[in-house]
C-alpha cells in the first residue's frame, strides 16, 4: 500500500547552449532551487540538456568523446547529485555518457535523495555514429512508494518500449525529449519552425504561440503522448528543449499527464519555464490502462519479438528517405 496519497512533480523546458555545460548547469540549478521552494519531489530536465543536443551530429568523433563524461565520476552530475540529496528530490538530467569500455551513450540519469543514481541509455540513439544505443529498460524504486521508469525521446515513440517499462512496474514515466520543429520525412508530421520566428518571439508572440500549439508542436504530441500514459496506466512527465537548437527550433510544451492520458499541467510559452503538479497516486490502481493490462494474452504476442526483415539501425530508420516496407516476412 502506498503511504503517499500524492506526490509533487515538475518538468522543465529550457534552451541549452551547445557545449556550454557551465551555463546549462547554472540554468538547471536555478530551476532546482525553484522546485525545492515548491516542495517538488521529482524534477525532470530535457534530453542531453547538460551537453547540448542538435549540434552533436556535426561534431567529430573526438569532439563527441571530449563532451562525454563517465557517470560515476561526472563533474556535471556531482552538482545535480548533491542538490538531489540536499533537497530530498529525484532529479533527472541528460548528457553523453562515456562507459567503462569507452563506448558513448545518450544517457539520462536520475539522481536520488540517498546519493544513488539510475542511468538509462537511449534505446534508439541516432545523434552521432559514435553514440551507441542502449539495450535495457530502466525502472527503479523511489522513497515515495512508487516506481519510476525512464525513456528518452524516440524511445517513447515505439509503443513496445512504454509497455515493457509499464510491465516492469513503472508508475511514473520520465520522458525527456529534444523535439518539435524537426524536418520529418512523414508528409503530415512535424515540419521546421523558422529560426527568425524564435529570434523575434517578443514581438511575434501570437505567431510563435500558434506554432508551439500547432502541428509541429503540441498537436503532434497530442496524437500519441496521451495514449502512452492512458494505455499503460502511468503518470508521464514530458520535458523538452525550447528555442533555437543549432538549426532547429524546439517547441517546449513541457507537460504532466495522468494515468488516464489527461493533461494535469502544461505550458506553450516560448521561454524557459517549469510546470508542476500534485500527482494523485490514488488514480493509478483503477486507471483504464491498468485494468485492461490484466486482460493481456501473452501467448498471442510472440510476433512482437520476431524480426520481420525490414528492421534498420536507429540512424537509418530515422533519416532514410526510402519508403518503409510493411511486408511481413516472419515465419511465425
Amino acid at each position: 500500500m502506498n503511504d503517499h496519497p500524492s506526490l509533487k512533480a515538475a518538468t522543465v523546458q529550457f534552451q541549452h547552449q551547445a557545449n556550454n555545460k557551465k551555463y546549462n548547469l547554472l540554468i538547471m540549478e536555478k530551476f532546482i532551487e525553484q522546485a525545492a521552494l515548491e516542495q517538488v519531489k521529482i524534477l525532470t530536465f530535457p534530453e542531453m540538456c547538460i551537453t547540448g543536443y542538435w549540434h552533436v551530429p556535426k561534431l567529430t568523433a573526438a569532439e563527441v568523446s571530449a563532451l562525454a563524461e563517465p557517470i560515476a565520476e561526472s563533474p556535471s552530475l556531482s552538482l545535480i547529485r548533491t542538490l538531489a540529496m540536499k533537497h530530498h528530490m529525484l532529479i533527472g538530467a541528460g548528457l553523453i555518457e562515456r562507459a567503462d569500455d569507452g563506448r558513448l551513450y545518450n544517457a539520462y540519469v536520475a539522481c536520488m535523495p540517498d546519493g544513488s543514481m539510475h542511468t538509462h541509455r537511449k534505446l534508439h540513439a541516432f545523434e552521432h555514429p559514435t553514440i551507441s544505443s542502449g539495450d535495457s529498460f530502466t525502472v527503479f524504486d523511489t522513497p515515495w512508494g512508487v516506481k519510476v521508469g525512464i525513456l528518452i525521446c524516440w524511445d517513447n515513440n515505439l509503443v513496445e518500449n512504454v509497455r515493457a517499462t509499464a510491465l516492469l512496474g513503472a508508475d511514473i514515466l520520465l520522458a525527456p525529449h529534444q523535439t518539435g520543429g524537426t524536418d520529418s520525412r512523414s508528409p503530415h508530421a512535424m515540419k521546421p519552425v523558422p529560426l527568425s520566428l524564435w529570434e523575434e518571439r517578443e514581438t511575434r508572440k501570437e505567431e510563435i504561440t500558434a506554432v508551439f500549439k500547432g502541428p509541429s508542436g503540441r498537436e503532434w504530441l497530442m496524437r500519441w503522448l496521451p495514449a502512452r500514459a492512458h494505455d499503460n496506466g502511468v503518470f508521464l512527465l514530458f520535458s523538452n528543449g525550447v528555442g533555437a537548437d543549432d538549426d532547429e527550433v524546439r517547441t517546449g510544451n513541457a507537460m504532466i499527464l495522468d494515468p488516464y492520458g489527461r493533461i494535469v499541467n502544461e505550458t506553450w510559452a516560448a521561454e524557459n519555464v517549469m510546470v508542476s503538479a500534485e500527482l494523485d497516486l490514488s488514480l493509478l490502481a483503477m486507471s483504464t490502462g491498468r485494468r485492461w493490462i490484466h486482460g493481456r494474452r501473452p501467448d498471442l504476442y510472440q510476433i512482437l519479438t520476431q524480426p520481420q526483415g525490414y528492421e534498420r539501425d536507429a540512424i537509418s530508420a530515422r533519416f532514410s528517405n526510402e519508403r518503409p516496407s510493411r511486408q511481413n516476412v516472419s515465419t511465425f
Side-chain angles (χ1 to χ4, degrees), residues 43-44 48 51 61 70 73 91-92 102 126 149 152 171 180 202 218 252 266 275 286-287 303 307-308:
L43 179 61
T44 308
M48 281 172 63
T51 53
E73 294 84 30
I91 305 174
F126 56 81
I152 302 172
D171 301 298
E202 293 299 325
R218 185 181 187 275
E266 67 175 320
V275 297
M286 290 299 290
S287 61
I303 192 170
Q308 301 301 304

Side-chain angles (χ1 to χ4, degrees), residues 8 16 60 89 95 108 115 122 139 146 161 183 221 284 314:
K8 188 73 173 287
H16 60 250
T60 65
M89 189 186 302
L95 75 167
Y108 196 81
K122 189 173 184 178
V139 177
V146 290
N161 293 333
D183 190 10
L221 296 173
L284 287 165

Side-chain angles (χ1 to χ4, degrees), residues 275-287:
V275 297
S276 61
E278 287 283 350
L279 307 186
D280 180 358
L281 302 181
S282 69
L283 295 175
L284 287 165
M286 290 299 290
S287 61

Side-chain angles (χ1 to χ4, degrees), residues 6-7 9 11 22 48 58 74 102-103 106 108 111 134 153 184 191 200 210 221 226 252 254 257 269 314 326 329:
S6 67
L7 185 64
T11 180
K22 183 176 180 180
M48 281 172 63
K58 299 176 182 178
S74 164
R103 298 178 74 180
N106 177 341
Y108 196 81
C111 296
C153 203
S184 173
K191 298 302 172 189
E200 300 166 9
L221 296 173
L257 298 95
R326 286 296 298 274
V329 299

Side-chain angles (χ1 to χ4, degrees), residues 156-314:
N156 293 276
N157 290 117
L158 281 81
V159 296
E160 295 92 339
N161 293 333
V162 186
R163 175 49 57 93
T165 301
L167 290 175
L168 288 169
D171 301 298
I172 300 171
L173 177 62
L174 310 186
H177 281 64
Q178 293 289 347
T179 192
T182 65
D183 190 10
S184 173
R185 285 145 182 79
S186 299
H188 300 286
M190 294 180 292
K191 298 302 172 189
V193 176
L195 283 167
S196 60
L197 180 57
W198 172 255
E199 293 165 354
E200 300 166 9
R201 60 191 179 281
E202 293 299 325
T203 58
R204 300 171 66 184
K205 289 185 178 180
E206 290 188 5
E207 291 177 70
I208 198 164
T209 298
V211 168
F212 276 28
K213 288 183 176 181
S216 292
R218 185 181 187 275
E219 284 184 20
W220 174 72
L221 296 173
M222 290 300 99
R223 294 174 189 171
W224 60 273
L225 203 57
R228 301 295 183 271
H230 167 271
D231 292 353
N232 296 287
V234 296
F235 287 97
L236 195 151
L237 308 184
F238 172 83
S239 59
N240 194 17
V242 68
D245 183 8
D246 198 70
D247 60 353
E248 294 187 343
V249 176
R250 305 285 162 244
T251 54
N253 293 119
M255 68 177 69
I256 297 173
L257 298 95
D258 76 5
Y260 288 90
R262 300 175 299 189
I263 298 174
V264 183
N265 198 4
E266 67 175 320
T267 181
W268 42 76
E271 60 185 358
N272 295 349
V273 68
M274 180 182 83
V275 297
S276 61
E278 287 283 350
L279 307 186
D280 180 358
L281 302 181
S282 69
L283 295 175
L284 287 165
M286 290 299 290
S287 61
T288 312
R290 295 222 168 180
R291 290 176 49 242
W292 288 353
I293 211 168
H294 286 270
R296 293 177 66 250
R297 294 186 55 189
D299 55 303
L300 296 178
Y301 307 147
Q302 294 179 44
I303 192 170
L304 296 179
T305 62
Q306 297 292 326
Q308 301 301 304
Y310 49 69
E311 289 80 9
R312 299 172 176 173
D313 64 89

